[in-house]
PDB file of all heavy atoms in Angstrom:
ATOM      1  N   ARG A  52      35.541  58.879 -39.479  1.00 89.00           N
ATOM      2  CA  ARG A  52      36.555  58.357 -38.558  1.00 89.00           C
ATOM      3  C   ARG A  52      37.868  58.157 -39.299  1.00 89.00           C
ATOM      4  O   ARG A  52      37.872  57.947 -40.506  1.00 89.00           O
ATOM      5  CB  ARG A  52      36.065  57.039 -37.953  1.00 89.00           C
ATOM      6  CG  ARG A  52      35.108  57.299 -36.837  1.00 89.00           C
ATOM      7  CD  ARG A  52      34.406  56.060 -36.365  1.00 89.00           C
ATOM      8  NE  ARG A  52      33.620  56.341 -35.175  1.00 89.00           N
ATOM      9  CZ  ARG A  52      32.528  57.077 -35.152  1.00 89.00           C
ATOM     10  NH1 ARG A  52      32.087  57.658 -36.265  1.00 89.00           N
ATOM     11  NH2 ARG A  52      31.872  57.265 -34.031  1.00 89.00           N
ATOM     12  N   ASN A  53      38.958  58.209 -38.545  1.00 89.00           N
ATOM     13  CA  ASN A  53      40.254  58.067 -39.194  1.00 89.00           C
ATOM     14  C   ASN A  53      40.561  56.594 -39.486  1.00 89.00           C
ATOM     15  O   ASN A  53      39.832  55.707 -39.061  1.00 89.00           O
ATOM     16  CB  ASN A  53      41.352  58.752 -38.373  1.00 89.00           C
ATOM     17  CG  ASN A  53      41.486  58.165 -36.999  1.00 89.00           C
ATOM     18  OD1 ASN A  53      41.525  56.947 -36.844  1.00 89.00           O
ATOM     19  ND2 ASN A  53      41.522  59.009 -35.986  1.00 89.00           N
ATOM     20  N   GLN A  56      40.693  54.222 -36.476  1.00 90.00           N
ATOM     21  CA  GLN A  56      39.385  53.944 -35.870  1.00 90.00           C
ATOM     22  C   GLN A  56      38.572  53.004 -36.753  1.00 90.00           C
ATOM     23  O   GLN A  56      37.848  52.150 -36.262  1.00 90.00           O
ATOM     24  CB  GLN A  56      38.612  55.243 -35.668  1.00 90.00           C
ATOM     25  CG  GLN A  56      39.168  56.129 -34.578  1.00 90.00           C
ATOM     26  CD  GLN A  56      38.488  57.483 -34.538  1.00 90.00           C
ATOM     27  OE1 GLN A  56      38.252  58.092 -35.571  1.00 90.00           O
ATOM     28  NE2 GLN A  56      38.180  57.951 -33.351  1.00 90.00           N
ATOM     29  N   ARG A  63      33.013  45.850 -36.601  1.00 88.00           N
ATOM     30  CA  ARG A  63      31.674  45.773 -35.996  1.00 88.00           C
ATOM     31  C   ARG A  63      30.563  45.676 -37.037  1.00 88.00           C
ATOM     32  O   ARG A  63      29.387  45.780 -36.681  1.00 88.00           O
ATOM     33  CB  ARG A  63      31.442  46.990 -35.087  1.00 88.00           C
ATOM     34  CG  ARG A  63      31.726  46.736 -33.622  1.00 88.00           C
ATOM     35  CD  ARG A  63      33.164  46.502 -33.344  1.00 88.00           C
ATOM     36  NE  ARG A  63      33.417  46.222 -31.933  1.00 88.00           N
ATOM     37  CZ  ARG A  63      34.590  45.848 -31.463  1.00 88.00           C
ATOM     38  NH1 ARG A  63      35.614  45.680 -32.269  1.00 88.00           N
ATOM     39  NH2 ARG A  63      34.757  45.604 -30.180  1.00 88.00           N
ATOM     40  N   SER A 123      19.310  18.835 -29.881  1.00 87.00           N
ATOM     41  CA  SER A 123      20.462  18.313 -29.146  1.00 87.00           C
ATOM     42  C   SER A 123      21.719  18.376 -30.021  1.00 87.00           C
ATOM     43  O   SER A 123      22.811  18.608 -29.524  1.00 87.00           O
ATOM     44  CB  SER A 123      20.199  16.889 -28.653  1.00 87.00           C
ATOM     45  OG  SER A 123      19.399  16.201 -29.555  1.00 87.00           O
ATOM     46  N   GLN A 127      25.114  20.546 -29.131  1.00 89.00           N
ATOM     47  CA  GLN A 127      26.395  19.849 -29.141  1.00 89.00           C
ATOM     48  C   GLN A 127      27.389  20.549 -30.082  1.00 89.00           C
ATOM     49  O   GLN A 127      28.562  20.685 -29.770  1.00 89.00           O
ATOM     50  CB  GLN A 127      26.188  18.385 -29.568  1.00 89.00           C
ATOM     51  CG  GLN A 127      27.379  17.504 -29.287  1.00 89.00           C
ATOM     52  CD  GLN A 127      27.732  17.462 -27.803  1.00 89.00           C
ATOM     53  OE1 GLN A 127      26.857  17.488 -26.941  1.00 89.00           O
ATOM     54  NE2 GLN A 127      29.020  17.430 -27.509  1.00 89.00           N
ATOM     55  N   GLU A 130      28.535  23.605 -28.416  1.00 89.00           N
ATOM     56  CA  GLU A 130      29.449  23.227 -27.340  1.00 89.00           C
ATOM     57  C   GLU A 130      30.852  22.972 -27.919  1.00 89.00           C
ATOM     58  O   GLU A 130      31.855  23.374 -27.344  1.00 89.00           O
ATOM     59  CB  GLU A 130      28.898  21.959 -26.670  1.00 89.00           C
ATOM     60  CG  GLU A 130      29.665  21.470 -25.476  1.00 89.00           C
ATOM     61  CD  GLU A 130      29.656  22.473 -24.344  1.00 89.00           C
ATOM     62  OE1 GLU A 130      28.566  22.945 -24.004  1.00 89.00           O
ATOM     63  OE2 GLU A 130      30.744  22.758 -23.824  1.00 89.00           O
ATOM     64  N   TRP A 143      43.372  36.281 -28.491  1.00 89.00           N
ATOM     65  CA  TRP A 143      43.111  37.637 -28.980  1.00 89.00           C
ATOM     66  C   TRP A 143      42.404  38.512 -27.947  1.00 89.00           C
ATOM     67  O   TRP A 143      42.345  39.713 -28.113  1.00 89.00           O
ATOM     68  CB  TRP A 143      42.322  37.577 -30.279  1.00 89.00           C
ATOM     69  CG  TRP A 143      43.117  37.003 -31.397  1.00 89.00           C
ATOM     70  CD1 TRP A 143      44.059  37.654 -32.138  1.00 89.00           C
ATOM     71  CD2 TRP A 143      43.083  35.655 -31.900  1.00 89.00           C
ATOM     72  NE1 TRP A 143      44.603  36.798 -33.064  1.00 89.00           N
ATOM     73  CE2 TRP A 143      44.022  35.575 -32.943  1.00 89.00           C
ATOM     74  CE3 TRP A 143      42.353  34.524 -31.567  1.00 89.00           C
ATOM     75  CZ2 TRP A 143      44.258  34.400 -33.663  1.00 89.00           C
ATOM     76  CZ3 TRP A 143      42.581  33.360 -32.281  1.00 89.00           C
ATOM     77  CH2 TRP A 143      43.525  33.307 -33.316  1.00 89.00           C
ATOM     78  N   GLY A 144      41.785  37.906 -26.953  1.00 86.00           N
ATOM     79  CA  GLY A 144      41.198  38.696 -25.882  1.00 86.00           C
ATOM     80  C   GLY A 144      39.704  38.926 -25.995  1.00 86.00           C
ATOM     81  O   GLY A 144      39.089  39.408 -25.062  1.00 86.00           O
ATOM     82  N   ASN A 145      39.128  38.634 -27.151  1.00 87.00           N
ATOM     83  CA  ASN A 145      37.676  38.771 -27.297  1.00 87.00           C
ATOM     84  C   ASN A 145      37.120  37.497 -27.914  1.00 87.00           C
ATOM     85  O   ASN A 145      37.819  36.807 -28.638  1.00 87.00           O
ATOM     86  CB  ASN A 145      37.331  39.957 -28.199  1.00 87.00           C
ATOM     87  CG  ASN A 145      37.219  41.255 -27.424  1.00 87.00           C
ATOM     88  OD1 ASN A 145      37.073  41.253 -26.216  1.00 87.00           O
ATOM     89  ND2 ASN A 145      37.286  42.358 -28.138  1.00 87.00           N
ATOM     90  N   LEU A 149      38.152  39.997 -32.859  1.00 87.00           N
ATOM     91  CA  LEU A 149      39.520  39.688 -32.445  1.00 87.00           C
ATOM     92  C   LEU A 149      40.421  40.916 -32.431  1.00 87.00           C
ATOM     93  O   LEU A 149      41.328  41.018 -31.614  1.00 87.00           O
ATOM     94  CB  LEU A 149      40.126  38.641 -33.387  1.00 87.00           C
ATOM     95  CG  LEU A 149      39.325  37.356 -33.575  1.00 87.00           C
ATOM     96  CD1 LEU A 149      40.097  36.405 -34.460  1.00 87.00           C
ATOM     97  CD2 LEU A 149      39.029  36.696 -32.252  1.00 87.00           C
ATOM     98  N   THR A 153      46.249  45.080 -38.035  1.00 89.00           N
ATOM     99  CA  THR A 153      46.455  46.509 -37.978  1.00 89.00           C
ATOM    100  C   THR A 153      47.118  46.917 -39.290  1.00 89.00           C
ATOM    101  O   THR A 153      47.646  46.060 -39.999  1.00 89.00           O
ATOM    102  CB  THR A 153      47.317  46.902 -36.764  1.00 89.00           C
ATOM    103  OG1 THR A 153      47.503  48.301 -36.782  1.00 89.00           O
ATOM    104  CG2 THR A 153      48.664  46.221 -36.779  1.00 89.00           C
ATOM    105  N   LYS A 158      48.335  42.760 -34.614  1.00 89.00           N
ATOM    106  CA  LYS A 158      48.482  43.340 -33.282  1.00 89.00           C
ATOM    107  C   LYS A 158      48.937  42.310 -32.258  1.00 89.00           C
ATOM    108  O   LYS A 158      49.196  42.663 -31.124  1.00 89.00           O
ATOM    109  CB  LYS A 158      47.129  43.891 -32.826  1.00 89.00           C
ATOM    110  CG  LYS A 158      46.742  45.199 -33.456  1.00 89.00           C
ATOM    111  CD  LYS A 158      45.415  45.633 -32.872  1.00 89.00           C
ATOM    112  CE  LYS A 158      44.887  46.881 -33.506  1.00 89.00           C
ATOM    113  NZ  LYS A 158      43.494  47.123 -33.095  1.00 89.00           N
ATOM    114  N   GLU A 182      32.908  13.473 -35.417  1.00 88.00           N
ATOM    115  CA  GLU A 182      31.717  12.780 -34.919  1.00 88.00           C
ATOM    116  C   GLU A 182      30.446  13.508 -35.362  1.00 88.00           C
ATOM    117  O   GLU A 182      29.497  12.894 -35.859  1.00 88.00           O
ATOM    118  CB  GLU A 182      31.789  12.789 -33.393  1.00 88.00           C
ATOM    119  CG  GLU A 182      31.335  11.547 -32.704  1.00 88.00           C
ATOM    120  CD  GLU A 182      31.713  11.598 -31.227  1.00 88.00           C
ATOM    121  OE1 GLU A 182      31.537  12.654 -30.583  1.00 88.00           O
ATOM    122  OE2 GLU A 182      32.183  10.589 -30.727  1.00 88.00           O
TER     123      GLU A 182
ATOM    124  N   PHE B   4      24.056  10.022 -32.328  1.00 81.00           N
ATOM    125  CA  PHE B   4      23.953  11.048 -31.306  1.00 81.00           C
ATOM    126  C   PHE B   4      23.784  10.453 -29.917  1.00 81.00           C
ATOM    127  O   PHE B   4      24.160  11.062 -28.927  1.00 81.00           O
ATOM    128  CB  PHE B   4      22.810  12.018 -31.602  1.00 81.00           C
ATOM    129  CG  PHE B   4      22.977  13.279 -30.824  1.00 81.00           C
ATOM    130  CD1 PHE B   4      23.802  14.274 -31.307  1.00 81.00           C
ATOM    131  CD2 PHE B   4      22.392  13.435 -29.581  1.00 81.00           C
ATOM    132  CE1 PHE B   4      24.025  15.410 -30.560  1.00 81.00           C
ATOM    133  CE2 PHE B   4      22.610  14.575 -28.840  1.00 81.00           C
ATOM    134  CZ  PHE B   4      23.432  15.568 -29.330  1.00 81.00           C
ATOM    135  N   ARG B  10      27.612  10.098 -23.233  1.00 85.00           N
ATOM    136  CA  ARG B  10      28.897  10.624 -22.776  1.00 85.00           C
ATOM    137  C   ARG B  10      28.695  11.953 -22.019  1.00 85.00           C
ATOM    138  O   ARG B  10      29.285  12.182 -20.979  1.00 85.00           O
ATOM    139  CB  ARG B  10      29.823  10.826 -23.969  1.00 85.00           C
ATOM    140  CG  ARG B  10      31.281  10.951 -23.584  1.00 85.00           C
ATOM    141  CD  ARG B  10      32.173  10.922 -24.797  1.00 85.00           C
ATOM    142  NE  ARG B  10      31.791  11.954 -25.738  1.00 85.00           N
ATOM    143  CZ  ARG B  10      31.826  11.794 -27.055  1.00 85.00           C
ATOM    144  NH1 ARG B  10      32.201  10.643 -27.577  1.00 85.00           N
ATOM    145  NH2 ARG B  10      31.479  12.772 -27.855  1.00 85.00           N
ATOM    146  N   ASN B  11      27.822  12.799 -22.579  1.00 85.00           N
ATOM    147  CA  ASN B  11      27.536  14.076 -21.911  1.00 85.00           C
ATOM    148  C   ASN B  11      26.949  13.841 -20.522  1.00 85.00           C
ATOM    149  O   ASN B  11      27.276  14.542 -19.579  1.00 85.00           O
ATOM    150  CB  ASN B  11      26.551  14.900 -22.734  1.00 85.00           C
ATOM    151  CG  ASN B  11      27.210  15.545 -23.923  1.00 85.00           C
ATOM    152  OD1 ASN B  11      28.434  15.518 -24.039  1.00 85.00           O
ATOM    153  ND2 ASN B  11      26.418  16.102 -24.804  1.00 85.00           N
ATOM    154  N   THR B  17      29.113  21.138 -18.501  1.00 83.00           N
ATOM    155  CA  THR B  17      30.339  21.691 -19.069  1.00 83.00           C
ATOM    156  C   THR B  17      30.493  23.166 -18.728  1.00 83.00           C
ATOM    157  O   THR B  17      31.523  23.749 -18.990  1.00 83.00           O
ATOM    158  CB  THR B  17      30.353  21.552 -20.597  1.00 83.00           C
ATOM    159  OG1 THR B  17      29.169  22.136 -21.098  1.00 83.00           O
ATOM    160  CG2 THR B  17      30.453  20.110 -21.021  1.00 83.00           C
ATOM    161  N   PHE B  27      36.895  30.791 -15.886  1.00 80.00           N
ATOM    162  CA  PHE B  27      38.156  30.917 -16.596  1.00 80.00           C
ATOM    163  C   PHE B  27      38.252  32.300 -17.221  1.00 80.00           C
ATOM    164  O   PHE B  27      37.404  32.696 -17.994  1.00 80.00           O
ATOM    165  CB  PHE B  27      38.208  29.767 -17.619  1.00 80.00           C
ATOM    166  CG  PHE B  27      38.834  30.017 -18.946  1.00 80.00           C
ATOM    167  CD1 PHE B  27      40.209  29.910 -19.088  1.00 80.00           C
ATOM    168  CD2 PHE B  27      38.069  30.321 -20.056  1.00 80.00           C
ATOM    169  CE1 PHE B  27      40.801  30.101 -20.315  1.00 80.00           C
ATOM    170  CE2 PHE B  27      38.657  30.515 -21.290  1.00 80.00           C
ATOM    171  CZ  PHE B  27      40.025  30.412 -21.414  1.00 80.00           C
ATOM    172  N   LYS B  31      44.984  37.413 -21.462  1.00 85.00           N
ATOM    173  CA  LYS B  31      44.907  38.439 -22.506  1.00 85.00           C
ATOM    174  C   LYS B  31      43.514  39.028 -22.673  1.00 85.00           C
ATOM    175  O   LYS B  31      43.287  39.825 -23.577  1.00 85.00           O
ATOM    176  CB  LYS B  31      45.343  37.826 -23.839  1.00 85.00           C
ATOM    177  CG  LYS B  31      46.837  37.812 -24.059  1.00 85.00           C
ATOM    178  CD  LYS B  31      47.095  37.456 -25.514  1.00 85.00           C
ATOM    179  CE  LYS B  31      48.521  37.714 -25.923  1.00 85.00           C
ATOM    180  NZ  LYS B  31      48.675  37.417 -27.358  1.00 85.00           N
ATOM    181  N   LYS B  33      40.331  41.100 -22.994  1.00 88.00           N
ATOM    182  CA  LYS B  33      40.186  42.551 -23.097  1.00 88.00           C
ATOM    183  C   LYS B  33      39.000  42.996 -22.255  1.00 88.00           C
ATOM    184  O   LYS B  33      37.867  43.015 -22.717  1.00 88.00           O
ATOM    185  CB  LYS B  33      39.985  42.946 -24.566  1.00 88.00           C
ATOM    186  CG  LYS B  33      41.248  42.823 -25.404  1.00 88.00           C
ATOM    187  CD  LYS B  33      40.949  43.147 -26.860  1.00 88.00           C
ATOM    188  CE  LYS B  33      42.130  42.845 -27.749  1.00 88.00           C
ATOM    189  NZ  LYS B  33      41.729  42.680 -29.152  1.00 88.00           N
ATOM    190  N   TYR B  51      42.615  59.587 -30.108  1.00 90.00           N
ATOM    191  CA  TYR B  51      42.633  59.595 -31.568  1.00 90.00           C
ATOM    192  C   TYR B  51      42.224  58.238 -32.146  1.00 90.00           C
ATOM    193  O   TYR B  51      41.516  58.174 -33.144  1.00 90.00           O
ATOM    194  CB  TYR B  51      44.038  59.982 -32.044  1.00 90.00           C
ATOM    195  CG  TYR B  51      44.196  60.024 -33.540  1.00 90.00           C
ATOM    196  CD1 TYR B  51      43.717  61.102 -34.276  1.00 90.00           C
ATOM    197  CD2 TYR B  51      44.828  58.991 -34.215  1.00 90.00           C
ATOM    198  CE1 TYR B  51      43.862  61.146 -35.643  1.00 90.00           C
ATOM    199  CE2 TYR B  51      44.976  59.025 -35.599  1.00 90.00           C
ATOM    200  CZ  TYR B  51      44.493  60.109 -36.306  1.00 90.00           C
ATOM    201  OH  TYR B  51      44.627  60.145 -37.667  1.00 90.00           O
ATOM    202  N   CYS B  53      40.495  55.772 -30.522  1.00 91.00           N
ATOM    203  CA  CYS B  53      39.275  55.178 -29.959  1.00 91.00           C
ATOM    204  C   CYS B  53      38.108  55.369 -30.924  1.00 91.00           C
ATOM    205  O   CYS B  53      37.708  56.499 -31.201  1.00 91.00           O
ATOM    206  CB  CYS B  53      38.945  55.806 -28.621  1.00 91.00           C
ATOM    207  SG  CYS B  53      37.440  55.136 -27.904  1.00 91.00           S
ATOM    208  N   PRO B  54      37.548  54.266 -31.477  1.00 90.00           N
ATOM    209  CA  PRO B  54      36.502  54.422 -32.486  1.00 90.00           C
ATOM    210  C   PRO B  54      35.172  54.877 -31.911  1.00 90.00           C
ATOM    211  O   PRO B  54      34.341  55.423 -32.620  1.00 90.00           O
ATOM    212  CB  PRO B  54      36.390  53.027 -33.092  1.00 90.00           C
ATOM    213  CG  PRO B  54      36.841  52.126 -32.007  1.00 90.00           C
ATOM    214  CD  PRO B  54      37.873  52.859 -31.229  1.00 90.00           C
ATOM    215  N   SER B  79      33.992  49.882 -26.537  1.00 88.00           N
ATOM    216  CA  SER B  79      33.663  48.652 -27.258  1.00 88.00           C
ATOM    217  C   SER B  79      34.707  47.564 -27.018  1.00 88.00           C
ATOM    218  O   SER B  79      34.714  46.560 -27.713  1.00 88.00           O
ATOM    219  CB  SER B  79      33.478  48.934 -28.749  1.00 88.00           C
ATOM    220  OG  SER B  79      34.691  49.417 -29.283  1.00 88.00           O
ATOM    221  N   PHE B  80      35.596  47.761 -26.081  1.00 88.00           N
ATOM    222  CA  PHE B  80      36.582  46.751 -25.687  1.00 88.00           C
ATOM    223  C   PHE B  80      37.430  46.255 -26.860  1.00 88.00           C
ATOM    224  O   PHE B  80      37.712  45.071 -26.974  1.00 88.00           O
ATOM    225  CB  PHE B  80      35.906  45.560 -24.988  1.00 88.00           C
ATOM    226  CG  PHE B  80      35.095  45.969 -23.803  1.00 88.00           C
ATOM    227  CD1 PHE B  80      33.714  46.122 -23.899  1.00 88.00           C
ATOM    228  CD2 PHE B  80      35.711  46.240 -22.603  1.00 88.00           C
ATOM    229  CE1 PHE B  80      32.969  46.529 -22.808  1.00 88.00           C
ATOM    230  CE2 PHE B  80      34.967  46.650 -21.506  1.00 88.00           C
ATOM    231  CZ  PHE B  80      33.599  46.794 -21.603  1.00 88.00           C
ATOM    232  N   ASN B  83      42.219  49.105 -28.927  1.00 88.00           N
ATOM    233  CA  ASN B  83      43.028  49.992 -29.772  1.00 88.00           C
ATOM    234  C   ASN B  83      43.872  50.946 -28.917  1.00 88.00           C
ATOM    235  O   ASN B  83      45.032  51.179 -29.206  1.00 88.00           O
ATOM    236  CB  ASN B  83      42.114  50.810 -30.691  1.00 88.00           C
ATOM    237  CG  ASN B  83      42.431  50.608 -32.151  1.00 88.00           C
ATOM    238  OD1 ASN B  83      43.240  49.758 -32.499  1.00 88.00           O
ATOM    239  ND2 ASN B  83      41.799  51.378 -33.010  1.00 88.00           N
ATOM    240  N   TYR B  87      48.045  51.199 -29.060  1.00 88.00           N
ATOM    241  CA  TYR B  87      48.783  52.347 -29.578  1.00 88.00           C
ATOM    242  C   TYR B  87      49.403  53.219 -28.485  1.00 88.00           C
ATOM    243  O   TYR B  87      50.172  54.122 -28.793  1.00 88.00           O
ATOM    244  CB  TYR B  87      47.889  53.196 -30.488  1.00 88.00           C
ATOM    245  CG  TYR B  87      47.659  52.540 -31.831  1.00 88.00           C
ATOM    246  CD1 TYR B  87      46.464  51.925 -32.146  1.00 88.00           C
ATOM    247  CD2 TYR B  87      48.676  52.528 -32.772  1.00 88.00           C
ATOM    248  CE1 TYR B  87      46.279  51.295 -33.364  1.00 88.00           C
ATOM    249  CE2 TYR B  87      48.501  51.907 -33.992  1.00 88.00           C
ATOM    250  CZ  TYR B  87      47.302  51.293 -34.291  1.00 88.00           C
ATOM    251  OH  TYR B  87      47.135  50.679 -35.486  1.00 88.00           O
TER     252      TYR B  87
END
Side-chain angles (χ1 to χ4, degrees):
Chain A
R52 280 170 173 70
N53 61 47
Q56 289 172 317
R63 264 68 182 173
S123 33
Q127 194 60 36
E130 184 63 50
W143 292 281
N145 272 342
L149 306 183
T153 179
K158 283 182 184 169
E182 219 169 44
Chain B
F4 198 83
R10 198 171 56 217
N11 283 351
T17 54
F27 144 84
K31 276 192 167 183
K33 287 176 188 159
Y51 180 78
C53 179
S79 62
F80 304 99
N83 238 8
Y87 286 104

